[in-house]
């Protein structure tokens, strides 16, 4: 008879912590405890992924890197199960504010923290957990196959909405762009990039700052692999919000390289991650995987915004090639 939040709070009895107060926040339960601020949330990744995540976080903790830690329950388990099989995880938390993408110094601080994360010394090779994400060429190939499938579906629609018409009008341009970037990146797969710890979802809401200190959270998508995935995601999010301002992007790359210089191969892969029409793929993919009877106006606005910024993106990429490639 308990509601979801009450059930979640009752599950905290499985831990050796004294809970003083709980509040709802960030899609989870924030807990004031005798061990400081903690966060209790549903674990939605693959269950066996929790072990890699914990090993990564323990490694970072051992090297005094400011990141969340997972607390084990009284049975020594990383996950606590509800009666319906839902898994929950209890982690340390910071009361800092999310990274402000409009604050250049805050962004500088974030990329320096990312570079420090990427510099973290891995385990001895024979003990390194295996969780290697797709390289950029394979990732782009998967996205391009999905774009082909979505275009075939759109062609079967006899009566198209305004959104679907606009999507089809611009499909060829972005699809050819995707093929071009994919082809370029396939030529460079022979040039390996260094492997390291990847956060996996390095976005502003997973970067907390408090008193000029950075604290990283939500390592559920962490992996050992190509670190340009993290840097490319962070840069692309900022560039999409700032009309592809090259001065800001080059500044952030410079701040990253003060801590960890990029290899020549990484600069190529980073270019590919910024050049691939990721935003178009995301808009099309969201449309395809959602109910198609009603298209949110926000999707139309995102598509118009993407089209408006295309010339700025092309100019940025030309200058990136001139500076780094």
């Amino acid at each position: 008879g308990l509601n979801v939040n009450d059930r979640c709070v009752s599950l905290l009895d499985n831990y050796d912590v004294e809970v003083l107060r709980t509040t709802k926040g960030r899609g989870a339960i924030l807990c004031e405890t005798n061990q400081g601020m903690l966060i209790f949330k549903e674990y939605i990744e693959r269950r066996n992924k929790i072990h890699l995540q914990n090993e990564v976080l323990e490694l970072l903790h051992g090297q005094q890197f400011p990141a969340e830690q997972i607390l084990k329950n009284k049975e020594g388990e990383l996950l606590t199960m509800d009666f319906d099989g839902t898994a929950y995880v209890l982690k340390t938390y910071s009361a800092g504010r999310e990274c402000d993408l409009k604050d250049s110094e805050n962004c500088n601080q974030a990329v320096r923290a990312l570079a420090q994360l990427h510099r973290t010394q891995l385990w001895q090779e024979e003990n390194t957990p295996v969780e290697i994400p797709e390289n950029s060429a394979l990732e782009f190939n998967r996205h391009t196959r999905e774009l082909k499938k979505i275009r075939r579906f759109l062609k079967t629609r006899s009566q198209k909405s305004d959104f679907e018409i606009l999507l089809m009008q611009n499909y060829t341009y972005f699809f050819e762009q995707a093929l071009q970037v994919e082809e370029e990146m396939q030529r460079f797969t022979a040039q390996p990039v260094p492997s390291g710890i990847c956060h996996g979802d390095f976005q502003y809401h997973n970067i907390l700052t408090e008193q000029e200190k950075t604290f990283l959270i939500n390592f559920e998508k962490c992996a050992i692999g190509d670190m340009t995935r993290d840097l490319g995601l962070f840069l692309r999010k900022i560039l999409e919000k700032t009309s592809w301002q090259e001065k800001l992007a080059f500044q952030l790359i410079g701040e990253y390289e003060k801590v960890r210089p990029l290899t020549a191969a990484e600069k190529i892969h980073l270019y590919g991650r910024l050049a691939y029409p990721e935003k178009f793929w995301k808009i099309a993919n969201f449309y395809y995987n959602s109910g198609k009877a009603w298209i949110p106006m926000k999707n139309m606005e995102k598509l118009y915004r993407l089209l408006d910024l295309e010339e700025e993106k092309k100019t940025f990429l030309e200058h990136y090639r001139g500076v780094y490639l």
Side-chain angles (χ1 to χ4, degrees):
L2 296 177
N3 64 36
V4 173
N5 288 328
D6 289 338
R7 291 210 315 267
C8 285
V9 171
S10 68
L11 289 174
L12 290 168
D13 292 337
N14 291 282
Y15 295 86
D16 281 321
V17 296
E18 181 184 350
V19 179
L20 307 175
R21 190 165 73 95
T22 62
T23 55
K24 290 187 289 185
R26 298 181 67 93
I29 304 293
L30 297 177
C31 312
E32 291 183 24
T33 77
N34 62 335
Q35 298 185 30
M37 184 68 76
L38 304 176
I39 186 168
F40 192 58
K41 62 189 297 185
E42 183 179 348
Y43 191 80
I44 59 176
E45 294 294 317
R46 304 189 317 271
R47 300 289 169 84
N48 61 353
K49 180 68 178 287
I50 191 70
H51 300 289
L52 171 69
Q53 183 183 347
N54 186 56
E55 288 192 60
V56 166
L57 292 173
E58 285 187 343
L59 176 68
L60 294 176
H61 182 68
Q63 299 189 29
Q64 298 184 322
F65 184 88
E68 63 186 7
Q69 292 292 298
I70 300 173
L71 277 69
K72 293 182 179 180
N73 60 27
K74 294 175 181 177
E75 284 71 44
E77 299 294 334
L78 297 169
L79 296 175
T80 295
M81 314 301 290
D82 200 352
F83 74 92
D84 62 358
T86 304
Y88 291 87
V89 61
L90 182 64
K91 302 183 292 184
T92 57
Y93 190 70
S94 168
R97 63 185 177 91
E98 293 180 349
C99 177
D100 182 356
L101 298 184
K102 296 179 181 178
D103 183 334
S104 60
E105 181 49 42
N106 205 190
C107 292
N108 288 341
Q109 189 177 342
V111 292
R112 288 194 295 266
L114 178 62
Q116 194 63 50
L117 170 69
H118 290 166
R119 279 189 58 185
T120 302
Q121 185 176 352
L122 292 174
W123 302 263
Q124 294 296 322
E125 185 173 348
E126 62 272 16
N127 296 323
T128 302
V130 177
E131 179 73 24
I132 300 175
E134 296 172 304
N135 64 39
S136 55
L138 289 175
E139 185 178 343
F140 297 155
N141 180 261
R142 178 169 55 84
H143 289 348
T144 305
R145 290 199 311 271
E146 290 165 352
L147 285 173
K148 284 183 183 177
K149 179 174 64 175
I150 297 167
R151 184 171 62 175
R152 286 197 302 268
F153 171 80
L154 278 168
K155 286 181 176 179
T156 66
R157 302 277 282 180
S158 56
Q159 291 187 323
K160 294 180 176 62
S161 66
D162 290 343
F163 172 81
E164 290 168 329
I165 291 170
L166 185 62
L167 199 62
M168 281 300 291
Q169 286 174 342
N170 294 280
Y171 224 92
T172 299
Y173 171 80
F174 286 106
F175 184 72
E176 289 179 352
Q177 191 179 93
L179 290 175
Q180 180 182 347
V181 175
E182 184 186 341
E183 182 182 339
E184 286 182 340
M185 297 312 296
Q186 284 175 343
R187 293 204 304 269
F188 292 111
T189 54
Q191 296 188 32
V193 294
S195 288
I197 293 176
C198 304
H199 181 279
D201 193 21
F202 195 76
Q203 301 193 57
Y204 70 95
H205 53 265
N206 292 329
I207 309 162
L208 305 180
T209 55
E210 184 177 16
Q211 297 179 346
E212 299 185 357
K213 294 182 179 179
T214 303
F215 186 82
L216 301 187
I217 61 174
N218 295 334
F219 276 74
E220 281 79 5
K221 297 184 184 299
C222 69
I224 309 301
D226 177 4
M227 294 169 283
T228 64
R229 174 186 296 258
D230 285 340
L231 184 58
L233 174 61
F234 187 68
L235 288 176
R236 185 170 56 78
K237 292 291 186 182
I238 290 177
L239 288 166
E240 288 171 353
K241 291 181 181 297
T242 59
S243 302
W244 292 84
Q245 288 185 19
E246 64 181 70
K247 182 179 179 181
L248 175 59
F250 294 168
Q251 171 192 314
L252 292 173
I253 294 171
E255 290 295 320
Y256 180 96
E257 291 204 281
K258 286 179 182 177
V259 180
R260 179 187 173 270
L262 295 165
T263 67
E266 284 181 308
K267 290 173 183 176
I268 294 169
H269 281 253
L270 181 58
Y271 171 82
R273 293 188 181 280
L274 296 174
Y276 191 86
E278 184 83 7
K279 189 71 172 181
F280 184 82
W281 166 78
K282 286 185 72 174
I283 292 170
N285 199 48
F286 179 83
Y287 153 78
Y288 183 75
N289 289 302
S290 61
K292 303 171 186 68
W294 177 74
I295 308 299
M297 182 55 68
K298 194 170 184 180
N299 279 33
M300 195 77 156
E301 292 170 359
K302 286 180 178 179
L303 187 50
Y304 274 124
R305 171 73 173 167
L306 173 66
L307 296 173
D308 288 343
L309 293 178
E310 188 57 22
E311 285 304 314
E312 286 86 347
K313 179 182 177 181
K314 285 170 64 176
T315 300
F316 168 82
L317 292 171
E318 288 173 6
H319 291 172
Y320 180 99
R321 292 184 77 117
V323 172
Y324 294 106
L325 306 187

